[in-house]
């Protein structure tokens, strides 16, 4: 295969010498990205695997392999060359994508609002709707003097870290049941230089043991959470990227999708200061349900303030206040 | 939510405005209600159940039917902001023509380059006249010696 490739390179070697990116490998062994795509029939393979938005996928992988910023990679790959090592990576990554490994795991990092986070296998990848959610939360607290923040189930740390990144007056504590996610969140905080205002505890929330022993008397001004909210009946519709590569604990919300949210309500009753806020990102039909639950079960303790829509006009976010 | 952002985008920071001598008085304000926003196929709602990575954003300005498409950044959220900037620039050109910021910048650059060329030509001329003078002087000297 490689011999075939190098042979086919003959006539273009003059061009290669002019555009010799990266390493010191002899010019003749480089291969244009367009050619690598064509020879490997990657477009067809990705399509057959059911991968959508293939151009974007390929561009992400190209920018990762060439170690260039995504926005600096041109839409046309005509002028881009891969050396043998890069070509091997390129094909390995595309193969993984055909097996529906999430792009964010292949790249090993992904952006969330203004920060870039490391990703790790089995740790839930933050979704674009969560950016809109955090924009609302950050906007609601931008004028506060000091905010003690608690995040329940922080995963990669995206929500807390983006808030710490935009507001210097916030100090965050997070709990997370997955060990891998706990480690990743701490790593991300360190990488972003936010470790002095962020701590994460490996803890599984249970009735009457909502927070780890060390935090059992702590009170907070704000609790945020994107708890698992996918209903059991919806599990049949999950994408392969999600079923195979993500930890389903981060998604499983029980029969009505609010199993974990209910625990968070009780946690908020004990650990929010009066006037403190609880913000939750939930599924499509949840905000009206939450409103009903608040009125029926939490009167005098928690008050439903409002529901908000995500960028696709679906009402999915709720704001609750501690009375 | 983006409404606040758009208002912020409407004008460049004051510092920039003061430094440049561009006239921003006509620069349009983008009304979020005038915009129709569409996301790339394969994007759209999903939440936890779906892992979407599409980044492409389309905007249509309903009153003028101007469209922009943006996929510069990896994140759709960043492209949403970027697309609004692009739309504003296009709208400015559409509404204000030669008074638009783009036209003003172009005119300014043209003025600068004309000025540069003029100076260069002047310098060349001076050099040439000096050379001519030297040559004639030198010529006279050498004839003197003979």
């Amino acid at each position: 295969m490689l011999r075939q490739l190098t042979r086919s390179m003959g006539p273009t070697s003059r061009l290669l010498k002019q555009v010799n990116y990266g390493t010191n490998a002899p010019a003749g062994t480089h291969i244009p990205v367009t050619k690598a795509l064509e020879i490997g029939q990657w477009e067809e393979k990705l399509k057959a695997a059911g991968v959508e938005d293939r151009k974007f996928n390929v561009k992400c992988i190209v920018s990762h392999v060439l170690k260039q910023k995504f926005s600096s990679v041109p839409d046309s790959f005509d002028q881009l060359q891969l050396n043998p090592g890069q070509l091997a990576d390129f094909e390995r990554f595309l193969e993984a994508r055909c097996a529906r490994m999430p792009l964010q795991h292949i790249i090993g990092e992904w952006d969330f609002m203004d920060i870039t986070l490391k990703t790790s296998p089995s740790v839930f990848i933050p979704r674009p709707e969560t950016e809109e959610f955090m924009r609302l939360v950050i906007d609601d607290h931008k004028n506060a003097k000091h905010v003690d923040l608690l995040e329940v189930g922080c995963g990669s740390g995206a929500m807390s870290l983006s808030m710490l990144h935009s507001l210097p007056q916030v100090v965050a504590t997070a709990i997370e049941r997955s060990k891998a996610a706990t480690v990743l969140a701490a790593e991300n905080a360190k990488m972003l230089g936010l470790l002095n205002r962020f701590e994460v505890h490996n803890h599984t929330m249970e009735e009457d043991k909502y927070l780890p022993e060390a935090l059992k008397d702590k009170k907070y001004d704000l609790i945020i959470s994107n708890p698992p909210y996918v209903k059991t009946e919806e599990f049949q519709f999950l994408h392969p990227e999600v079923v195979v590569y993500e930890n389903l604990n981060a998604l499983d919300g029980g029969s009505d999708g609010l199993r974990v949210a209910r625990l968070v309500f009780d946690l908020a009753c004990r650990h929010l200061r009066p006037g403190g806020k609880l913000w939750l990102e939930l599924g499509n039909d949840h905000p009206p349900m939450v409103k009903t639950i608040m009125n029926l079960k939490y009167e005098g303790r928690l008050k439903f303030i409002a529901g908000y829509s995500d960028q696709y006009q679906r009402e999915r976010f709720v704001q609750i206040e501690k009375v | 939510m983006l409404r606040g952002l758009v208002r912020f985008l409407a004008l460049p920071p004051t510092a920039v405005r003061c430094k440049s001598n561009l006239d921003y008085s006509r620069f349009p304000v983008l009304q979020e209600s005038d915009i129709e926003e569409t996301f790339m196929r394969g994007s759209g709602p999903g939440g936890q159940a779906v892992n979407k990575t599409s980044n492409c954003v389309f905007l249509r300005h309903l009153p003028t039917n101007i469209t922009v498409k943006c996929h510069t950044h990896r994140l759709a959220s960043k492209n949403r902001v970027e697309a609004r900037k692009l739309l504003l620039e296009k709208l400015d050109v559409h509404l204000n023509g030669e008074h638009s910021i783009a036209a003003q910048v172009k005119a300014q650059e043209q003025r600068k380059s004309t000025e540069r060329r003029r100076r260069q030509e002047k310098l060349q001329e001076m050099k040439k006249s000096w050379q001519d003078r030297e040559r004639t002087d030198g010529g006279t000297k050498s004839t003197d010696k003979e």
Side-chain angles (χ1 to χ4, degrees), chain A residues 4-270:
Chain A
Q4 214 178 9
L5 287 181
T6 29
R7 202 180 308 145
S8 66
M9 304 283 301
T12 49
S13 60
R14 203 162 57 91
L15 190 111
L16 285 180
K17 262 174 219 151
Q18 291 169 349
V19 206
N20 190 357
Y21 286 94
T23 62
N24 304 319
T29 56
H30 280 63
I31 167 168
V33 172
T34 36
K35 194 141 219 165
L37 280 170
E38 200 183 299
I39 292 170
Q41 294 186 307
W42 289 110
E43 169 67 23
E44 292 80 358
K45 285 181 189 164
L46 286 168
K47 193 173 179 185
V51 175
E52 285 182 340
D53 214 0
R54 292 177 287 279
K55 267 193 186 146
F56 175 65
N57 275 267
V58 171
K59 192 174 166 183
C60 281
I61 292 176
V62 167
S63 87
H64 180 55
V65 168
L66 293 177
K67 296 190 169 56
Q68 286 185 24
K69 271 188 78 174
F70 177 85
S71 52
S72 72
V73 175
D75 282 339
S76 147
F77 303 142
D78 294 348
Q79 301 297 312
L80 301 178
Q81 316 281 329
L82 301 171
N83 68 30
Q86 290 167 335
L87 177 65
D89 282 345
F90 186 61
E91 300 198 314
R92 193 159 51 88
F93 295 151
L94 284 166
E95 196 69 66
R97 192 65 193 106
C98 285
R100 302 296 290 268
M101 184 192 257
L103 192 53
Q104 301 94 328
H105 284 165
I106 295 173
I107 306 283
E109 59 164 44
W110 204 250
D111 308 318
F112 184 83
M113 301 183 81
D114 295 327
I115 57 179
T116 300
L117 297 158
K118 277 205 247 176
T119 60
S120 159
S122 92
V123 179
F124 185 79
I125 298 159
R127 305 292 196 248
E129 288 94 333
T130 308
E131 296 182 293
E132 191 67 15
F133 174 75
M134 280 317 293
R135 237 172 246 129
L136 290 170
V137 177
I138 289 170
D139 200 55
D140 194 42
H141 291 83
K142 61 172 190 260
N143 297 322
K145 274 218 177 85
H146 179 86
V147 181
D148 284 320
L149 164 70
L150 173 70
E151 178 173 1
V152 180
C154 65
S156 64
M159 298 208 300
S160 287
L161 296 175
S162 64
M163 186 148 187
L164 292 173
H165 180 81
S166 17
L167 301 180
Q169 72 271 36
V170 178
V171 175
T173 307
I175 57 168
E176 167 58 50
R177 64 175 286 173
S178 142
K179 281 208 177 85
T182 310
V183 171
L184 181 66
E187 262 178 47
N188 276 324
K190 193 175 170 196
M191 187 180 72
L192 292 162
L194 295 169
L195 212 48
N196 55 338
R197 289 188 286 139
F198 180 77
E199 57 175 66
V200 54
H201 299 256
N202 185 216
H203 176 80
T204 305
M205 188 175 45
E206 287 168 40
E207 212 171 309
D208 292 322
K209 244 183 89 183
Y210 299 103
L211 289 185
E213 197 57 29
L215 304 174
K216 72 179 200 317
D217 298 320
K218 284 268 163 58
K219 301 272 185 200
Y220 299 90
D221 306 304
L222 169 65
I223 298 178
I224 55 175
S225 183
N226 176 11
Y229 59 69
V230 179
K231 297 173 195 166
T232 312
E233 60 176 49
E234 291 169 347
F235 263 63
Q236 52 184 319
F237 304 119
L238 295 182
H239 274 198
E241 281 89 350
V242 180
V243 177
V244 183
Y245 297 94
E246 291 192 291
N247 188 341
L248 297 186
N249 277 335
L251 277 72
D252 186 0
S255 59
D256 67 351
L258 291 176
R259 184 177 54 82
V260 183
R262 283 196 178 81
L263 284 169
V264 181
F265 298 152
D266 291 330
L267 180 150
C269 289
R270 297 193 187 188

Side-chain angles (χ1 to χ4, degrees), chain A residues 270-281:
Chain A
R270 297 193 187 188
H271 293 282
L272 267 184
R273 295 190 177 119
K277 299 283 179 61
L278 167 65
W279 280 83
L280 295 174
E281 178 182 348

Side-chain angles (χ1 to χ4, degrees), chain A residues 53 56 75 104 127 229, chain B residues 48 50-51 53-54 71 74:
Chain A
D53 214 0
F56 175 65
D75 282 339
Q104 301 94 328
R127 305 292 196 248
Y229 59 69
Chain B
Q48 289 176 345
V50 192
N51 178 6
T53 48
S54 291
H71 56 265
R74 206 154 55 176

